[in-house]
Amino acid sequence: MQPADLMFRPIRIGTVEIPNRIVLPSMTTRYATREGFATDETVGYYRARARGGVGLVTVEMAAPEVAGRHRFHELGIYDDKFLPGLTRIVEAIHAEGARASIQLGHGGSRARRAVSGTQPVSASSMPVPVFEIEHEIARPEAMTENRIDEAVRAFVEAAQRARAAGFDVVELHASHGYLISQFLCPAENDRTDAYGGSLENRARFGLRILTAVKAAVPDLPVIFRITVDDLFPEGLPFAEGLQVAIWAAEASADAISVTAGHYRSVPGAERMIPPMAYPDGAFLDFAAAVKKEVHVPVIGVGRLGNPAVATAALAEEKLDLVAIGRPLIADASWPAKVRAGRPVRRCLACNHCVNNMRGGNVLSCVVNPLTGHENDFREESGPRGRRILVIGAGPAGLSYAALVAGQNEVTVVESEGRAGGAFRWTGKAPLFNDVEAADGTFDAYIGELESECRRLGVDFRFGTRLTRDSPLLADADTVVLATGARYRGRTGPVVRAVLRSGRLKSATGRKVFADPRLRDLFYYRARAATGASVRRELGLATDDRREVIVIGDAAAPGKAREAIGSAFAAALDTKVEFRR
């Protein structure tokens, strides 16, 4: 058996057979209504990932009681009134051949009063910094033993609702600084009763929930998702996290999902969802250590979007299932493409999806504007049977070409000797979407996108400058200008020289570049679109013989998301305003 085949072998979690080893982990979308009811967008988002070949789709965190709600537009499961919407989600997932799970999680001290309308509760009453659209200091109420009993019952009732809605599996959220994690974390649990002090006591709350759910719904497999290392000095250390994972497996958990990080992690909370500067497989060693000690399947997570990294982790038996979140936002068909040996649309690990959502917006993606718009498009949308000339092989030009190549004859002309354009310089800036930029990320994205274009038959002409009498221009039915933007005056060479020098990566450079005004200047005001000038140079300004489309920075200078969004809009012939 080839290593890649391991990803598509079925595996059992408890009594349920999962058709392959790929898991969509829980990620809040904010597609639900303010009250928590599922919407068409919610259903469409999960249907698309199931259709793309995911074996187990984990629906986003839903609080078992009102006091656990930590975000506006968080999916609800704390009342029977949410059952019709949850059932719709499950039916959509099942219709595409995947299994459905839902994460049951309680915000605890991070469940803001403004969201839940009730007093936040936690293991202890110590103040906690919370960010949900805005920063605040939460002051939770320490849970009494009666209140703990009440929370355990709420988890059980939520699991029973999940079963009633048709979910195959539930996942208990014992990670990332939420309620069960708050009990486990020494820095957030100063209790002196049976739920505080020793590790056995601090683990008691989460293990009680696990055993109570298993007793109440014995035919419903339960995944125990645990942060095995909080990654800050006063937090839960790995030795203790490993022990809790072992206890959870012994207490009848059907699988252990291993992650790391906490909102208080050092140097920052981004370690929970490692951005591009962190290595691939950032948490693999944690998963491998747990796998050696437990007898149930282990799910691993953390920068596994490179198919080679994911398959190697399976082949080396570091885990049993791979959870890939952001890569499935970037490309809902990641599993199907990997299985067919096709290039995938690579996730940048820029954390736009996470940070934008935490700022109050719905889930969206820099490289996949279709995220959240899965119901708005038909496969047959876009041009057909045309000879299309794309001028410029940056992210906008390549995205457009990849989207239309299957139904059209497409040629991409690029004046440089390779694809990528100015986008390849992005990794030399200190930041991209507020995370540390890393060169290899952008090269990998461009490389996969070019490979997909070639697979679809796109003809590339590198090192080529068009003139008015070019045969390529004369033969085209549609000309797409994706020529990017230029820096005004003579600043272009200066900007490139500074980027090449690496000075912006210094502490001083990072501090300066963090200024929103400088970044606004860098992306917008200092640059000019080239579309109009190129159109004049090529004699297209008054041409009524062919269709001329201007996309990306050639139309208006901006950031990568805006450029790629314009390419999708043009290729799919839509007036939909893509989510920001």
Side-chain angles (χ1 to χ4, degrees):
M1 180 175 295
Q2 296 299 313
D5 295 334
L6 294 172
M7 196 178 296
F8 299 98
R9 290 178 60 192
I11 187 171
R12 300 193 76 82
I13 294 180
T15 57
V16 173
E17 182 173 272
I18 312 301
N20 60 51
R21 306 300 180 96
I22 304 167
V23 178
L24 173 72
S26 167
M27 293 176 292
T28 301
T29 65
R30 290 193 193 270
Y31 297 152
T33 67
R34 187 179 179 89
E35 296 78 18
F37 292 98
T39 63
D40 291 344
E41 288 76 16
T42 313
V43 176
Y45 170 81
Y46 289 111
R47 179 192 292 118
R49 274 73 202 166
R51 181 177 296 160
V54 171
L56 179 64
V57 173
T58 310
V59 173
E60 62 205 81
M61 171 177 156
E65 59 179 4
V66 173
R69 296 189 72 216
H70 78 308
R71 290 196 172 111
F72 294 112
H73 298 275
E74 178 183 286
L75 193 64
I77 199 172
Y78 60 83
D79 190 280
D80 288 350
K81 64 185 179 182
F82 298 113
L83 280 173
L86 295 171
T87 302
R88 282 186 63 208
I89 295 172
V90 173
E91 290 174 347
I93 293 169
H94 284 169
E96 301 296 342
R99 300 291 178 265
S101 177
I102 187 167
Q103 185 181 80
L104 306 181
H106 193 301
S109 60
R110 288 173 173 78
R112 296 172 59 223
R113 182 189 289 271
V115 177
S116 69
T118 61
Q119 169 66 37
V121 296
S122 185
S124 302
S125 59
M126 60 185 67
V128 175
V130 177
F131 177 75
E132 167 62 17
I133 303 177
E134 59 188 11
H135 289 278
E136 72 170 61
I137 301 298
R139 302 184 184 280
E141 182 178 90
M143 298 172 74
T144 64
E145 291 203 22
N146 285 339
R147 185 66 181 84
I148 288 173
D149 293 342
E150 184 180 331
V152 172
R153 286 194 298 271
F155 271 94
V156 168
E157 291 168 2
Q160 291 170 328
R161 287 189 194 95
R163 170 50 90 198
F167 282 99
D168 305 290
V169 180
V170 294
E171 178 176 275
L172 298 181
H173 192 8
S175 50
H176 299 325
Y178 291 92
L179 184 60
I180 297 176
S181 172
Q182 289 160 26
F183 272 83
L184 289 170
C185 177
E188 297 190 344
N189 182 346
D190 61 5
R191 303 176 72 99
T192 57
D193 63 1
Y195 294 91
S198 69
L199 177 63
E200 184 178 15
N201 284 355
R202 286 182 278 122
R204 191 182 308 278
F205 177 60
L207 296 178
R208 266 196 66 190
I209 293 169
L210 170 61
T211 55
V213 168
K214 291 296 295 182
V217 200
D219 63 335
L220 181 66
V222 178
I223 298 170
F224 195 80
R225 179 173 173 81
I226 179 171
T227 287
V228 293
D229 192 327
D230 283 340
L231 300 176
F232 70 100
E234 302 80 21
L236 183 77
F238 175 65
E240 292 190 350
L242 173 62
Q243 182 60 65
V244 176
I246 294 170
W247 285 340
E250 293 172 347
S252 70
D254 296 284
I256 305 295
S257 180
V258 178
T259 186
H262 187 286
Y263 280 103
R264 300 171 67 172
S265 291
V266 176
E270 76 274 0
R271 291 192 72 180
M272 293 186 292
I273 308 170
M276 64 178 76
Y278 288 81
D280 285 336
F283 300 150
L284 272 180
D285 289 345
F286 292 134
V290 173
K291 182 170 167 55
K292 289 179 181 178
E293 301 295 335
V294 302
H295 62 281
V296 297
V298 169
I299 303 169
V301 71
R303 299 224 56 205
L304 297 173
N306 182 339
V309 173
T311 54
L314 287 163
E316 295 166 11
E317 299 186 347
K318 293 183 176 181
L319 41 67
D320 298 292
L321 300 98
V322 293
I324 52 170
R326 292 166 296 174
L328 284 166
I329 299 174
D331 192 339
S333 296
W334 190 98
K337 289 180 178 179
V338 171
R339 189 165 202 169
R342 291 174 51 191
V344 299
R345 186 186 300 116
R346 289 287 285 272
C347 168
L348 299 177
C350 67
N351 282 12
H352 163 88
C353 50
V354 181
N355 297 335
N356 199 48
M357 181 277 297
R358 285 178 180 160
N361 300 302
V362 296
L363 192 70
S364 61
C365 179
V366 168
V367 300
N368 183 16
L370 298 184
T371 298
H373 293 283
E374 288 81 5
N375 298 326
D376 295 333
F377 300 96
R378 301 184 308 276
E379 291 183 6
E380 63 270 19
S381 61
R384 284 175 172 265
R386 299 182 70 81
R387 287 171 298 183
I388 299 175
L389 177 64
V390 179
I391 306 175
L398 291 175
S399 293
Y400 183 94
L403 289 166
V404 303
Q407 301 296 332
N408 302 276
E409 181 182 322
V410 181
T411 300
V412 174
V413 174
E414 168 58 52
S415 61
E416 300 287 337
R418 61 176 184 170
F423 197 60
R424 287 193 183 269
W425 290 91
T426 307
K428 300 187 182 303
L431 297 173
F432 183 85
N433 277 342
D434 296 320
V435 303
E436 182 181 348
D439 270 335
T441 295
F442 304 98
D443 290 338
Y445 167 75
I446 292 294
E448 292 284 281
L449 197 48
E450 181 183 346
S451 294
E452 176 65 358
C453 286
R454 291 187 182 279
R455 187 191 72 82
L456 293 169
V458 172
D459 179 18
F460 281 94
R461 306 290 182 92
F462 291 117
T464 301
R465 289 187 179 276
L466 294 175
T467 60
R468 290 188 178 210
D469 58 356
S470 170
L472 288 173
L473 200 61
D475 291 343
D477 300 314
T478 299
V479 178
V480 179
L481 301 182
T483 48
R486 59 172 176 78
Y487 280 94
R488 299 179 188 276
R490 299 181 180 179
T491 57
V494 174
V495 170
R496 286 192 290 274
V498 171
L499 287 170
R500 190 183 296 113
S501 73
R503 292 173 186 168
L504 285 179
K505 297 275 193 180
S506 68
T508 301
R510 292 172 190 276
K511 183 176 181 180
V512 171
F513 199 77
D515 187 331
R517 295 169 298 180
L518 177 65
R519 295 172 71 181
D520 179 70
L521 177 68
F522 184 83
Y523 286 111
Y524 297 98
R525 294 185 289 121
R527 298 197 299 158
T530 59
S533 61
V534 171
R535 193 167 185 166
R536 287 192 300 271
E537 290 170 11
L538 296 178
L540 300 171
T542 58
D543 187 356
D544 58 3
R545 295 178 298 117
R546 59 178 65 82
E547 179 184 31
V548 179
I549 301 171
V550 186
I551 62 173
D553 286 351
K559 296 184 178 181
R561 173 161 170 74
E562 296 158 343
I564 295 170
S566 76
F568 271 69
L572 300 174
D573 191 23
T574 178
K575 302 301 182 184
V576 170
E577 184 176 346
F578 289 119
R579 303 185 190 279
R580 295 188 179 276

